[in-house]
Amino acid sequence: MKSVGKRGRVCMQERKRHQPEAAILAPPVPKARPSKRTRKSGLGGDARGEPAAGGEQEAGVPSALVPAGHASTTDGPLREQLRETILALVSARSDGATCCPSEAPRRVRPSDWRPLMALTREVAFELAREGVVQVTQKGAVVTDYGNIKGPIRLRRPP
C-alpha cells in the first residue's frame, strides 16, 4: 500500500522505492543558465562577456579585436552622438544639478546601451579635460580621471 501525505501526495520514501538505484545516488546536475546581464539585455554570449558566435561591432570591426563591453575606437559618429547628448543633458539641468552618464547612451541606443558605458565615460572625461563639464563622485569634483572607480555624475561647471 502506498503511503499518502497530508496533501494527498505520495511520500518521498515511496517515490525512492520506484526509482533506479543510480538515480538516487547520483547528485542532481545543475542546468546551465545565462548570466543575469545576458538575460536582461537579450544578447548572446556567455557569462564571461564573450560575444555570441559570428558577431561584429557596429563599426564593422570584428568583435574579437574589441574587448568585451567596450565600444570600438573607430566609432567617431557614435562618440560624437554621445558627446552632443551629454552636453544637451548637462545644459538642460539647473546650476549645480547633476546627471548620470548612463542617460546619454540610453538616449542614443535605448535597447542596447550598456556596452556604450565605457565609451560614454571616456567622452565625459574628455569633456571634463576641456572644461565643458565637471565629473563628480560623492558630491566632490574629481580631477584624476585615470583612477576613478564607481559611480560618477556630470554637471556644468559654475
Side-chain angles (χ1 to χ4, degrees):
M1 181 173 166
K2 291 184 181 180
S3 56
V4 179
K6 289 181 183 177
R7 296 186 181 162
R9 297 182 182 155
V10 177
C11 291
M12 188 58 106
Q13 291 175 347
E14 186 68 30
R15 284 187 197 161
K16 286 183 180 179
R17 262 187 243 152
H18 296 290
Q19 289 181 352
E21 188 174 328
I24 296 171
L25 299 177
V29 178
K31 295 180 180 179
R33 293 181 5 176
S35 68
K36 286 182 181 178
R37 181 171 284 177
T38 305
R39 279 183 281 159
K40 283 182 182 177
S41 66
L43 299 175
D46 63 7
R48 293 184 313 250
E50 296 295 325
E56 289 205 356
Q57 294 288 0
E58 193 170 300
V61 177
S63 58
L65 301 178
V66 179
H70 292 83
S72 170
T73 56
T74 60
D75 29 22
L78 184 58
R79 182 179 285 270
E80 191 59 35
Q81 273 186 316
L82 288 170
R83 180 183 173 89
E84 290 172 6
T85 307
I86 289 171
L87 291 174
L89 286 168
V90 170
S91 64
R93 299 290 199 278
S94 61
D95 290 337
T98 62
C99 70
C100 182
S102 69
E103 291 179 43
R106 287 175 198 244
R107 287 193 182 184
V108 170
R109 195 184 298 159
S111 61
D112 189 28
W113 60 272
R114 283 189 187 274
L116 300 179
M117 279 307 298
L119 181 62
T120 304
R121 287 174 71 107
E122 288 176 20
V123 171
F125 297 149
E126 287 172 9
L127 290 169
R129 284 186 196 99
E130 295 171 12
V132 181
V133 298
Q134 284 184 333
V135 176
T136 63
Q137 195 169 41
K138 296 182 181 179
V141 177
V142 178
T143 55
D144 185 14
Y145 307 116
N147 294 325
I148 293 181
K149 290 184 181 178
I152 61 171
R153 305 282 296 175
L154 305 174
R155 70 178 181 197
R156 281 188 305 201

